[in-house]
Amino acid sequence: IDFGFFELRWYSLAYILGILLGWLYALKIIQKTNIDQNHKAITTKMFDDLIVYLIIGIIIGGRLGYVFFYDYKYYIQNISEIVKIWNGGMSFHGGLLGTIAAIYIFAKRNKVNFFHYSDIIACAAPIGLFLGRIANFINGELFGKVSSAPWAIVFPTGNNIARHPSQIYEALLEGVVLFLLINFFAVRKKLLSKPGYVSSLFLIFYSIFRFFIEFTREPDAHIGLVLFNLSMGQLISVIVFFVGIFLWKSKKNV
C-alpha cells in the first residue's frame, strides 16, 4: 500500500503482526502458567516492559545479521544502504542474536532470570516466523530450486521455471510445526518451570527444520553454496544446533 510519503509492504506487515500476535500470545502463556521466579510471579507488566527491547533487538540484529552473514562486501562499500531496511535484507539468525542481546540487557537491568523470558519468547516466536515466510512467498522471493512436483510454482522472478515453494515449507515447519512442538513441551510437559529447556529445544528444532528445508531452497545468487556444498543458512543452523544441544545438556545436568 503506497500512501505517497509512506509504503506498507508485506514484509513490514509480517513483522508488525508477528510482534503484536507474539506479544499477545506470550501474555497468555504468562497468565496460564503463572511462572514463578524466585518466589515472585512474572507479571504481564514485566513482559510489556521487555517488548521495546525486543523490537529494537529484532530490527537491528536482523539487519546487521544480513549485512555480515550474507552481503558484507556490498554493504561495506555502501554503508548508507545499511539503514534502508525497507529495501529488504533481514536475517533470522541475526534477529535471534539481537533478541538474545535485548533479553540479556533487560534481565541485567531488572535483575531477573534471562531464561524465564527467553523461554516465553521461544513459545511465541514461531508466529512471527510463519508470517515472515508467508510474506516471502507473496513477494515471490527466497524461492526454491527447480522442481517437477505437482505443487511447484512459477515465480515472477524465477526465470519462468516451476520451483519448490520453499517459503511455504518453512512457514509450515518453522512456523506451525515448531509452534506446536515448543508449546507442547512448554505447556503440556510444563518445561517452563525449568528455565532454559524451552529455549534449547527452540534452537534445536528450528535448526533441524531450517537445515533440511535449505536443500530445496535456491541459494542466494551472490553467495551460492559456501562450504561442503552447504548454504550460509545451513552452516549457521549447524552452529545454532550445537549451541542448543550444549544449552540442553547444561540445563539437564543442573
Side-chain angles (χ1 to χ4, degrees):
I1 303 175
D2 189 350
F3 297 99
F5 61 92
F6 172 74
E7 287 186 359
L8 181 61
R9 299 173 181 265
W10 281 110
Y11 206 55
S12 301
L13 187 60
Y15 263 76
I16 294 169
L17 283 178
I19 291 172
L20 287 176
L21 293 178
W23 184 2
L24 291 174
Y25 185 72
L27 296 180
K28 183 178 178 180
I29 287 287
I30 293 171
Q31 293 168 345
K32 185 175 182 179
T33 56
N34 192 31
I35 304 167
D36 184 79
Q37 175 181 286
N38 298 329
H39 308 294
K40 180 181 179 181
I42 292 178
T43 65
T44 54
K45 174 64 169 63
M46 293 180 186
F47 196 84
D48 289 344
D49 294 339
L50 173 61
I51 287 297
V52 175
Y53 290 78
L54 292 178
I55 293 173
I56 295 173
I58 291 171
I59 295 175
I60 294 179
R63 185 56 167 175
L64 293 182
Y66 182 82
V67 169
F68 287 103
F69 297 152
Y70 293 96
D71 215 349
Y72 178 76
K73 289 183 179 179
Y74 171 78
Y75 286 104
I76 200 64
Q77 296 173 357
N78 301 274
I79 295 179
S80 62
E81 293 292 317
I82 294 177
V83 298
K84 299 179 181 180
I85 58 176
W86 53 87
N87 288 333
M90 297 288 280
S91 160
F92 164 78
H93 291 107
L96 175 64
L97 290 174
T99 299
I100 291 172
I103 301 171
Y104 177 80
I105 293 171
F106 178 84
K108 203 75 174 175
R109 286 185 173 180
N110 294 276
K111 297 180 180 180
V112 294
N113 189 311
F114 171 92
F115 288 112
H116 277 301
Y117 291 89
S118 66
D119 287 352
I120 295 169
I121 292 166
C123 292
I127 297 173
L129 293 174
F130 173 82
L131 292 171
R133 294 311 179 193
I134 293 299
N136 289 148
F137 177 76
I138 294 173
N139 288 339
E141 60 194 9
L142 305 182
F143 45 70
K145 296 178 180 178
V146 176
S147 171
S148 58
W151 57 82
I153 292 175
V154 177
F155 292 93
T157 57
N159 298 322
N160 202 34
I161 303 173
R163 297 174 177 275
H164 282 289
S166 56
Q167 315 98 320
I168 299 299
Y169 302 163
E170 292 195 72
L172 292 175
L173 283 177
E174 300 166 9
V176 179
V177 176
L178 184 60
F179 178 85
L180 294 175
L181 274 173
I182 294 299
N183 283 278
F184 171 77
F185 286 109
V187 180
R188 296 292 293 275
K189 294 298 182 179
K190 299 182 179 180
L191 287 188
L192 281 176
S193 62
K194 301 177 180 179
Y197 265 95
V198 175
S199 296
S200 68
L201 291 176
F202 176 87
L203 298 178
I204 292 169
F205 285 126
Y206 174 85
S207 299
I208 292 173
F209 294 153
R210 176 70 181 269
F211 182 86
F212 285 105
I213 292 173
E214 286 273 329
F215 284 115
T216 71
R217 181 171 158 179
E218 191 72 36
D220 295 274
H222 60 287
I223 299 179
L225 299 178
V226 183
L227 189 64
F228 305 120
N229 283 327
L230 298 177
S231 68
M232 179 63 77
Q234 286 176 309
L235 291 176
I236 299 174
S237 292
V238 170
I239 295 172
V240 174
F241 172 80
F242 283 109
V243 170
I245 291 293
F246 173 79
L247 177 59
W248 180 76
K249 282 184 172 292
S250 66
K251 292 300 174 181
K252 185 178 180 181
N253 294 330
V254 172

